[in-house]
Structures are given as C-alpha cells and as structure tokens.
Amino acid sequence: MNALKRNNVHVVGRGQTMLLFVNGFGCDQTIWRYMLPALSEHYSMVLFDHVGAGLSDATTYNPSKYASLHGYAQDLLEICEELDLHEVTLVGHSVGAMIGALAAIGAPARFRRLLLLCPSPCYLNEAGYHGGFDRVDIESMLSFMERDFSEWADSFVPLIMGNPDRPSLSDELILSFCRNDLTIARQFARVTFLSDNRSDLARLRTPCLLLQCAEDLIAPLEVGAYLHTSLPGSTLVTLPVSGHCPHVSAPRETLAAMEAYMEA
C-alpha cells in the first residue's frame, strides 16, 4: 500500500508555498479546520492522518515500527517522497512537532522550516529538566487509559484543551480522540508520553518557530525555554492564551504568529 492511501493524504489550497501539517496525539487532519480557510488562498497544504487515526488504514499498523516516534517520522518522509516534496514548511502540533523534527533530521532537504506548536522533546520531569509530569503520574494516566479510554478522554481532554469557559472545544476533541482505533491510540499514547528526544535536538539544523501558550499543562513554559536554548537560531513566541491546542482555541493568534515568522 502506498503512503498516500495508508495515511489518507489530501492536498488542498493554492499557492507556491507548501505547508505540511502533522497532527498531535489523538487528532486527525480535521483538527486544522479552523485555520485552513485563511490559508487556502495563499498556500498549498498537505493533510494526513497517523495510522490508527481518522480515515487512515489501521490494518497497516505494525507495533514494532511504531514503538518509537521514528516510525511515524518514517511515514512522514514516505509521504514527502510520494508527493515529491522539497523545501516544504512543516506545521506540527505537540507530538506531531517532534515527529516533524525527527523527519527533518532524517531528510533535511525536504524541509525549509518547521513551525512547531506546543512542542515537547520529553514530558517527564528529571533532574535539571522540567517536562511537566512525574513518571508515576504518566504511568497512572496510561493505566487509566487502558482501563477505560472513553472515561479517560472525558476527564483528561479538558485539561489538554484548557479554556473551561468554552466546553464545546473539549467536546469536539473528545469525539476526535474516541474516533481513533483504541488499541493503537493506547500504544501511541505510551510512546508519546514516555519518549525522550532531547538528545536528537543537536542534529536538527532546520530553522524553527517554537510557538507556545502562556498556560499549558502539557508543555509548560520551561519546555519552550529548553527547546529555545537547545536549538540555536530558533524563534520562541509565547501566545497570551491558555491550553495545548492554540490552532483550535486561538486560531487567529496562531495564524498571525505563523505568518509573521514566514514573512520575516
């Protein structure tokens, strides 16, 4: 099976600059819907689903391949190869940001720049590093997910989304999470929250925009500062918004920051 069918790839919009969107955990390509109308007149855009999410082909899931984020980065590079993409601008959210970074390390000629929304190379707190979660908390969360994925989503997604005054945003994300193949989603969650890609950062040479939120439970400000220090030449922008999904909760502010960086 080719990568375009496996990952339910779509190319939309118009324009010479190509944007390649990489979804975060639990999301399919529809998560970008609030931003696409404003971009479609000026950019061509590639959208896809990770295996197990959206309308991807879950039968192609291989636990060994996807036991690390490198398997997802391989999928991304296969999509680039089949579409013959070069010098693209990658837009990655959350773990999708790190998947994009790994792809750029593996094939730097494919990417012109990386726009990374709420990225984190490691979610675990360790000596000298604040990732946001103690290991016992991550293991407890993953156990909860194993027992009852729907109940976990109901309780955890509002923390991801933030903006408690806009519960409809959390409701939409919960539906997105629960549309996933649940067995694959549980395994992807374990890979996501237990990965440590800090040592990979030294090999990343592609220019990066690090776009973080002022209040983010999943990727706190300390993570953005760490990435900015670890990636010389990167640009760090902090949006005055809350939550881990600014492309959903604050699309105008997110678009403004992205376009300012691209036009600089």
Side-chain angles (χ1 to χ4, degrees):
M1 177 177 295
N2 67 43
L4 305 188
K5 183 177 180 181
R6 178 192 64 207
N7 291 99
N8 185 35
V9 176
H10 292 92
V11 181
V12 299
R14 64 187 71 178
Q16 293 185 342
T17 300
M18 181 71 75
L19 305 181
L20 173 57
F21 291 85
V22 189
N23 321 315
F25 168 75
C27 304
D28 60 35
Q29 60 192 263
T30 64
I31 198 69
W32 304 100
R33 63 191 178 278
Y34 297 109
M35 298 174 59
L36 297 187
L39 294 168
S40 61
E41 290 297 317
H42 306 287
Y43 300 94
S44 296
M45 296 171 285
V46 178
L47 303 160
F48 73 96
D49 300 327
H50 296 300
V51 171
L55 297 177
S56 66
D57 189 340
T59 66
T60 63
Y61 185 79
N62 182 323
S64 297
K65 174 183 177 180
Y66 298 108
S68 80
L69 298 183
H70 291 277
Y72 293 93
Q74 178 183 333
D75 283 358
L76 179 53
L77 292 177
E78 289 171 1
I79 292 169
C80 290
E81 182 175 358
E82 293 201 27
L83 292 176
D84 194 27
L85 299 180
H86 300 273
E87 290 286 312
V88 301
T89 295
L90 182 142
V91 184
H93 169 238
S94 193
V95 70
M98 288 312 303
I99 291 169
L102 292 173
I105 291 169
R110 297 280 186 191
F111 305 96
R112 179 181 179 184
R113 56 200 167 196
L114 309 180
L115 312 184
L116 307 181
L117 281 58
C118 306
S120 176
C122 180
Y123 296 93
L124 294 170
N125 297 326
E126 293 188 356
Y129 176 80
H130 181 79
F133 298 89
D134 292 330
R135 179 172 288 272
V136 65
D137 296 325
I138 292 288
E139 293 291 355
S140 176
M141 181 194 70
L142 294 173
S143 295
F144 185 8
M145 187 185 293
E146 290 285 343
R147 292 193 307 272
D148 191 331
F149 188 93
S150 295
E151 183 65 25
W152 169 81
D154 285 342
S155 61
F156 195 71
V157 164
L159 301 178
I160 297 174
M161 182 58 68
N163 297 275
D165 57 324
R166 301 160 68 192
S168 63
L169 296 180
S170 292
D171 292 342
E172 291 179 19
L173 191 58
I174 289 169
L175 289 175
S176 175
F177 274 38
C178 292
R179 285 197 301 265
N180 286 268
D181 180 293
L182 298 188
T183 298
I184 296 175
R186 292 183 181 102
Q187 294 169 330
F188 190 17
R190 182 166 291 275
V191 172
T192 295
F193 286 104
L194 295 179
S195 290
D196 185 350
N197 296 105
R198 288 175 292 172
S199 63
D200 295 304
L201 299 176
R203 297 185 290 131
L204 182 61
R205 297 290 184 264
T206 308
C208 295
L209 168 66
L210 308 171
L211 194 59
Q212 65 180 2
C213 297
E215 298 179 19
D216 184 349
L217 176 69
I218 309 301
L221 295 178
E222 292 90 341
V223 172
Y226 177 88
L227 283 167
H228 188 39
T229 300
S230 301
L231 297 171
S234 63
T235 299
L236 176 63
V237 174
T238 302
L239 297 176
V241 301
S242 63
H244 189 60
C245 302
H247 50 315
V248 176
S249 61
R252 289 184 180 180
E253 294 88 339
T254 303
L255 276 168
M258 288 168 50
E259 291 184 323
Y261 179 77
M262 288 191 286
E263 294 169 3

